[in-house]
Amino acid sequence: MPSNFYEQVYAVVRRIPVGQVTSYGRIAHLLGRPRAARAVGYALNALPSAPHIPPVPWHRVVNSHGRISLSNREFNAQEQAERLRAEGIPVTAELTLDLPKHLWPGLPLEELDEIISPSTHY
DNA sequence: ACAGTGACAACAT
DNA sequence: TATGTTGCCACTG
């Protein structure tokens, strides 16, 4: 049973549209925990061992500088770059992209409320 | 209960 | 610009 926080992170990431990206910190802010950026990364790290349906587009999350994490010591970083390019986002050899240009605006309050407090939607 | 661990982020050199 | 340091928070054994 995944924790509530993980599920909240996954719920948000699923809303990121094709061709757009956001950062770990911004997801933390959306969830009302402005300083939990690190925990967001931790949540995504735990993803491969627990495949979800619908799938979670983890590749659309980069750091606050618009750079792919896991600095190229793992093939995962290259895979992430390829997936982003496939969605039309240019990624440099240094694994960076234009964050402001492709930044996902975020969620409407209504949808956000459903994620944070599912019990209050009726 | 508690210390250790990160796919972070901001700041300081 | 490029590293290093520090604060953070949820999760794990």
Side-chain angles (χ1 to χ4, degrees):
Chain A
M1 222 16 197
S3 75
N4 189 266
F5 181 76
Y6 277 19
E7 288 305 323
Q8 288 182 359
V9 171
Y10 302 153
V12 169
V13 175
R14 284 198 193 94
R15 304 293 189 121
I16 308 174
V18 173
Q20 296 190 347
V21 297
T22 190
S23 69
Y24 303 92
R26 296 184 79 92
I27 291 176
H29 275 272
L30 281 178
L31 293 176
R33 292 182 166 78
R35 275 155 275 175
R38 234 178 151 170
V40 171
Y42 199 99
L44 293 188
N45 176 56
L47 206 43
S49 58
H52 278 67
I53 300 177
V56 178
W58 52 269
H59 58 283
R60 294 175 193 147
V61 185
V62 298
N63 68 24
S64 63
H65 302 334
R67 186 175 192 183
I68 293 175
S69 294
L70 282 181
S71 44
N72 64 23
R73 61 174 182 274
E74 295 294 337
F75 74 170
N76 269 9
Q78 291 302 330
E79 178 186 343
Q80 180 169 5
E82 285 308 312
R83 288 188 183 222
L84 290 173
R85 293 183 183 117
E87 295 184 356
I89 301 178
V91 180
T92 72
E94 295 79 24
L95 302 180
T96 69
L97 54 82
D98 190 335
L99 184 52
K101 182 173 183 176
H102 304 283
L103 183 62
W104 174 50
L107 286 172
L109 287 183
E110 290 179 353
E111 299 185 24
L112 196 52
D113 284 344
E114 281 190 21
I115 292 175
I116 295 180
S117 30
S119 54
T120 61
H121 93 65
Y122 88 81

Short mmCIF file of all heavy atoms in Angstrom, two decimals, chain A residues 39-61:
data_model
loop_
_atom_site.label_atom_id
_atom_site.label_comp_id
_atom_site.label_asym_id
_atom_site.label_seq_id
_atom_site.Cartn_x
_atom_site.Cartn_y
_atom_site.Cartn_z
N ALA A 39 11.52 14.98 -1.20
CA ALA A 39 10.62 13.85 -0.99
C ALA A 39 9.90 13.50 -2.29
O ALA A 39 9.56 12.35 -2.53
CB ALA A 39 9.62 14.17 0.11
N VAL A 40 9.66 14.51 -3.13
CA VAL A 40 9.02 14.26 -4.42
C VAL A 40 9.93 13.39 -5.27
O VAL A 40 9.49 12.43 -5.90
CB VAL A 40 8.70 15.58 -5.16
CG1 VAL A 40 8.23 15.30 -6.58
CG2 VAL A 40 7.65 16.37 -4.39
N GLY A 41 11.20 13.72 -5.28
CA GLY A 41 12.17 12.92 -6.03
C GLY A 41 12.20 11.50 -5.49
O GLY A 41 12.28 10.54 -6.25
N TYR A 42 12.10 11.41 -4.20
CA TYR A 42 12.10 10.09 -3.55
C TYR A 42 10.90 9.28 -4.02
O TYR A 42 11.00 8.09 -4.28
CB TYR A 42 12.06 10.29 -2.03
CG TYR A 42 12.50 9.09 -1.25
CD1 TYR A 42 13.79 9.01 -0.73
CD2 TYR A 42 11.62 8.03 -1.02
CE1 TYR A 42 14.20 7.91 0.00
CE2 TYR A 42 12.03 6.93 -0.30
CZ TYR A 42 13.31 6.87 0.21
OH TYR A 42 13.72 5.78 0.92
N ALA A 43 9.79 9.95 -4.15
CA ALA A 43 8.56 9.29 -4.59
C ALA A 43 8.71 8.75 -6.01
O ALA A 43 8.33 7.62 -6.30
CB ALA A 43 7.39 10.25 -4.50
N LEU A 44 9.27 9.56 -6.89
CA LEU A 44 9.44 9.12 -8.27
C LEU A 44 10.46 8.00 -8.35
O LEU A 44 10.36 7.10 -9.18
CB LEU A 44 9.87 10.31 -9.15
CG LEU A 44 8.82 11.39 -9.33
CD1 LEU A 44 9.28 12.39 -10.37
CD2 LEU A 44 7.48 10.80 -9.72
N ASN A 45 11.44 8.05 -7.50
CA ASN A 45 12.46 7.01 -7.46
C ASN A 45 11.84 5.66 -7.12
O ASN A 45 12.26 4.62 -7.59
CB ASN A 45 13.53 7.36 -6.44
CG ASN A 45 14.57 6.26 -6.29
OD1 ASN A 45 15.17 5.86 -7.26
ND2 ASN A 45 14.74 5.78 -5.09
N ALA A 46 10.82 5.68 -6.31
CA ALA A 46 10.16 4.45 -5.87
C ALA A 46 9.21 3.91 -6.92
O ALA A 46 8.63 2.84 -6.77
CB ALA A 46 9.41 4.71 -4.57
N LEU A 47 9.05 4.64 -8.00
CA LEU A 47 8.08 4.30 -9.03
C LEU A 47 8.31 2.99 -9.78
O LEU A 47 7.40 2.18 -9.87
CB LEU A 47 8.00 5.45 -10.03
CG LEU A 47 6.69 5.62 -10.79
CD1 LEU A 47 5.50 5.45 -9.87
CD2 LEU A 47 6.67 6.98 -11.45
N PRO A 48 9.51 2.75 -10.32
CA PRO A 48 9.75 1.59 -11.16
C PRO A 48 9.32 0.28 -10.50
O PRO A 48 8.83 -0.62 -11.15
CB PRO A 48 11.26 1.60 -11.37
CG PRO A 48 11.63 3.04 -11.21
CD PRO A 48 10.70 3.58 -10.16
N SER A 49 9.49 0.20 -9.20
CA SER A 49 9.14 -1.03 -8.50
C SER A 49 7.64 -1.17 -8.32
O SER A 49 7.14 -2.22 -7.94
CB SER A 49 9.83 -1.06 -7.13
OG SER A 49 9.45 0.07 -6.38
N ALA A 50 6.93 -0.11 -8.62
CA ALA A 50 5.47 -0.16 -8.45
C ALA A 50 4.76 0.49 -9.63
O ALA A 50 4.28 1.60 -9.53
CB ALA A 50 5.07 0.55 -7.15
N PRO A 51 4.74 -0.20 -10.77
CA PRO A 51 4.11 0.31 -11.98
C PRO A 51 2.65 0.70 -11.73
O PRO A 51 1.95 0.01 -11.00
CB PRO A 51 4.19 -0.86 -12.95
CG PRO A 51 5.31 -1.69 -12.46
CD PRO A 51 5.29 -1.55 -10.97
N HIS A 52 2.25 1.80 -12.32
CA HIS A 52 0.89 2.27 -12.10
C HIS A 52 0.06 2.29 -13.37
O HIS A 52 0.58 2.36 -14.46
CB HIS A 52 0.91 3.68 -11.51
CG HIS A 52 1.14 3.70 -10.05
ND1 HIS A 52 2.32 3.32 -9.48
CD2 HIS A 52 0.33 4.06 -9.03
CE1 HIS A 52 2.23 3.44 -8.17
NE2 HIS A 52 1.04 3.89 -7.87
N ILE A 53 -1.25 2.21 -13.18
CA ILE A 53 -2.17 2.35 -14.29
C ILE A 53 -3.22 3.37 -13.89
O ILE A 53 -3.89 3.19 -12.88
CB ILE A 53 -2.86 1.02 -14.62
CG1 ILE A 53 -1.80 -0.01 -15.00
CG2 ILE A 53 -3.86 1.22 -15.74
CD1 ILE A 53 -2.39 -1.39 -15.28
N PRO A 54 -3.36 4.47 -14.65
CA PRO A 54 -2.56 4.76 -15.83
C PRO A 54 -1.12 5.09 -15.46
O PRO A 54 -0.86 5.44 -14.32
CB PRO A 54 -3.26 5.98 -16.43
CG PRO A 54 -3.93 6.64 -15.28
CD PRO A 54 -4.34 5.52 -14.37
N PRO A 55 -0.24 4.96 -16.44
CA PRO A 55 1.19 5.18 -16.19
C PRO A 55 1.48 6.61 -15.72
O PRO A 55 0.76 7.54 -16.05
CB PRO A 55 1.85 4.91 -17.53
CG PRO A 55 0.77 5.00 -18.53
CD PRO A 55 -0.48 4.61 -17.84
N VAL A 56 2.55 6.76 -14.96
CA VAL A 56 2.97 8.07 -14.48
C VAL A 56 4.11 8.58 -15.35
O VAL A 56 5.17 7.96 -15.40
CB VAL A 56 3.45 7.97 -13.01
CG1 VAL A 56 3.93 9.33 -12.53
CG2 VAL A 56 2.33 7.46 -12.12
N PRO A 57 3.91 9.67 -16.07
CA PRO A 57 4.94 10.23 -16.96
C PRO A 57 6.06 10.90 -16.19
O PRO A 57 6.24 12.13 -16.26
CB PRO A 57 4.16 11.22 -17.81
CG PRO A 57 3.03 11.67 -16.94
CD PRO A 57 2.67 10.48 -16.09
N TRP A 58 6.84 10.12 -15.49
CA TRP A 58 7.93 10.61 -14.64
C TRP A 58 8.96 11.44 -15.40
O TRP A 58 9.63 12.29 -14.84
CB TRP A 58 8.63 9.44 -13.98
CG TRP A 58 9.07 8.39 -14.97
CD1 TRP A 58 8.34 7.31 -15.37
CD2 TRP A 58 10.28 8.36 -15.71
NE1 TRP A 58 9.04 6.59 -16.31
CE2 TRP A 58 10.24 7.21 -16.54
CE3 TRP A 58 11.42 9.17 -15.76
CZ2 TRP A 58 11.28 6.86 -17.41
CZ3 TRP A 58 12.46 8.82 -16.63
CH2 TRP A 58 12.38 7.69 -17.44
N HIS A 59 9.06 11.18 -16.70
CA HIS A 59 10.09 11.88 -17.49
C HIS A 59 9.79 13.36 -17.64
O HIS A 59 10.65 14.12 -18.08
CB HIS A 59 10.23 11.22 -18.85
CG HIS A 59 8.97 11.19 -19.65
ND1 HIS A 59 7.94 10.30 -19.39
CD2 HIS A 59 8.55 11.96 -20.68
CE1 HIS A 59 6.96 10.52 -20.26
NE2 HIS A 59 7.30 11.52 -21.04
N ARG A 60 8.57 13.78 -17.30
CA ARG A 60 8.23 15.21 -17.44
C ARG A 60 8.58 16.01 -16.20
O ARG A 60 8.15 17.16 -16.06
CB ARG A 60 6.74 15.35 -17.76
CG ARG A 60 6.40 14.76 -19.13
CD ARG A 60 4.91 14.78 -19.45
NE ARG A 60 4.65 13.93 -20.60
CZ ARG A 60 3.52 13.22 -20.78
NH1 ARG A 60 2.57 13.29 -19.87
NH2 ARG A 60 3.38 12.47 -21.84
N VAL A 61 9.35 15.42 -15.30
CA VAL A 61 9.78 16.13 -14.10
C VAL A 61 11.30 16.29 -14.09
O VAL A 61 12.03 15.30 -14.16
CB VAL A 61 9.34 15.38 -12.83
CG1 VAL A 61 9.67 16.21 -11.59
CG2 VAL A 61 7.84 15.07 -12.87
#
